[in-house]
């Protein structure tokens, strides 16, 4: 069983489109995260959710919006996609809010904006 | 920036040799974690060392932490081809966040 899953694995789209990436974890964790990894492999936190409450937003453009229907899911919606949004997006989860415990990562979604 | 920085950026060794990667960071931390990323995959947690610990072992992994120098090292002994991956350090500053370094790309040649 996959602990943290993301769909789709690959996403190719045109500039200006709106897209969503889904994430689900079956670990019973109460905190979920979204990271962006650029072409230089730099991994940057975008959001984290604890019990449906946003607790971090690291200077991410408001075109990006996380949606958490329940604590097992954290979806990422992106409006008006730009070329610079091309990257690999990773979902992760951890047992408690805060990062004292290890984070479990999904396999990533490679987004290409043309 | 609280981002960590790994050194070297890339490392190539022969199977059986030891691999040492270093991480430097800028702020005080609660703990430091090391993760591994295989090509095209997500990150996998390897080991966590708390700020009051100086050394920790897990199998072929040995991590050291020097908070006075704000640095950590990851040693992989008796490397195998399957150890080929990128390795990232991540610092927990207690701000409900992990700050990842830039990664070391390790290649183990069979």
């Amino acid at each position: 069983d996959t602990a943290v899953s993301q769909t789709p694995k690959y996403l190719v789209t045109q500039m200006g489109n709106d897209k969503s990436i889904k994430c689900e974890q079956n670990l019973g964790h109460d905190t979920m995260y979204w990271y962006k990894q650029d072409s230089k492999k730099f991994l940057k936190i975008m959001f984290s959710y604890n019990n449906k409450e946003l607790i971090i937003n690291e200077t991410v453009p408001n075109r990006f919006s996380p949606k958490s229907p329940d604590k097992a899911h954290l979806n990422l919606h992106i409006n008006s996609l730009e070329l610079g949004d091309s990257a690999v997006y990773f979902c992760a989860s951890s047992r408690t809010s805060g990062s004292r415990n290890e984070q479990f990562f999904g396999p990533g979604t490679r987004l290409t904006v043309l | 920036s609280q981002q960590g920085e790994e050194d070297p950026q890339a490392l190539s060794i022969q199977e059986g040799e030891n691999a040492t990667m270093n991480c430097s960071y800028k702020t005080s931390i609660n703990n430091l974690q090391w993760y591994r990323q295989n090509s095209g995959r997500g990150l996998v947690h390897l080991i966590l060392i708390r700020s009051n610990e100086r050394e920790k072992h897990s199998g072929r992994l040995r991590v050291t932490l020097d908070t006075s120098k704000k640095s950590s090292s990851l040693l992989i002994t008796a490397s195998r081809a399957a150890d080929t991956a990128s390795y990232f350090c991540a610092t927990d500053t207690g701000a409900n966040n992990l700050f990842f370094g830039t990664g070391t790309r390790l290649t183990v040649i069979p």
Side-chain angles (χ1 to χ4, degrees):
Chain A
D1 287 341
T2 304
V4 182
S5 59
Q6 296 178 228
T7 54
K9 187 170 176 60
Y10 299 97
L11 183 54
V12 181
T13 187
Q14 298 286 333
M15 268 176 49
N17 284 351
D18 303 337
K19 291 293 178 185
S20 295
I21 306 172
K22 295 185 177 181
C23 177
E24 177 181 1
Q25 55 94 5
N26 62 9
L27 298 167
H29 290 165
D30 55 10
T31 304
M32 295 181 71
Y33 311 82
W34 276 105
Y35 289 87
K36 177 181 180 181
Q37 187 173 45
D38 62 24
S39 58
K40 295 183 179 179
K41 303 297 184 185
F42 175 43
L43 199 68
K44 184 175 180 181
I45 181 77
M46 299 178 71
F47 303 102
S48 68
Y49 253 75
N50 180 328
N51 291 327
K52 299 191 180 183
E53 182 181 356
L54 178 68
I55 54 177
I56 299 174
N57 183 336
E58 291 286 329
T59 63
V60 173
N62 58 14
R63 297 182 296 104
F64 291 79
S65 56
K67 298 275 194 301
S68 182
D70 55 61
K71 76 173 191 178
H73 296 83
L74 182 65
N75 303 324
L76 182 64
H77 297 271
I78 315 170
N79 295 324
S80 302
L81 278 156
E82 300 178 356
L83 293 176
D85 298 333
S86 294
V88 181
Y89 292 83
F90 287 98
C91 176
S93 70
S94 67
R95 191 169 44 148
T96 63
S97 84
S99 44
R100 292 172 188 79
N101 293 303
E102 64 180 281
Q103 292 186 11
F104 291 78
F105 282 76
T109 295
R110 181 174 293 278
L111 171 64
T112 303
V113 182
L114 303 175
Chain B
S1 168
Q2 295 164 291
Q3 174 193 338
E5 191 169 316
E6 280 92 340
D7 169 58
Q9 289 188 338
L11 178 62
S12 185
I13 60 174
Q14 295 288 332
E15 201 165 30
E17 294 180 339
N18 296 342
T20 299
M21 289 158 271
N22 302 299
C23 169
S24 59
Y25 56 93
K26 297 178 180 178
T27 63
S28 60
I29 61 172
N30 287 347
N31 67 66
L32 185 143
Q33 304 177 28
W34 284 91
Y35 287 77
R36 164 194 169 127
Q37 183 180 31
N38 284 72
S39 181
R41 309 289 287 272
L43 279 75
V44 176
H45 181 268
L46 294 176
I47 195 166
L48 180 154
I49 185 165
R50 301 191 187 283
S51 59
N52 60 355
E53 297 176 313
R54 291 297 167 259
E55 188 171 311
K56 202 160 183 180
H57 297 254
S58 176
R60 294 184 296 112
L61 305 180
R62 173 178 164 247
V63 169
T64 62
L65 179 65
D66 187 335
T67 52
S68 66
K69 295 181 179 178
K70 291 186 170 55
S71 67
S72 173
S73 68
L74 171 68
L75 169 67
I76 304 175
T77 60
S79 65
R80 305 167 182 168
D83 294 328
T84 294
S86 291
Y87 292 83
F88 294 85
C89 68
T91 51
D92 169 10
T93 62
N96 292 328
N97 200 356
L98 275 182
F99 293 95
F100 283 84
T102 49
T104 292
R105 172 74 188 162
L106 173 66
T107 302
V108 181
I109 303 166

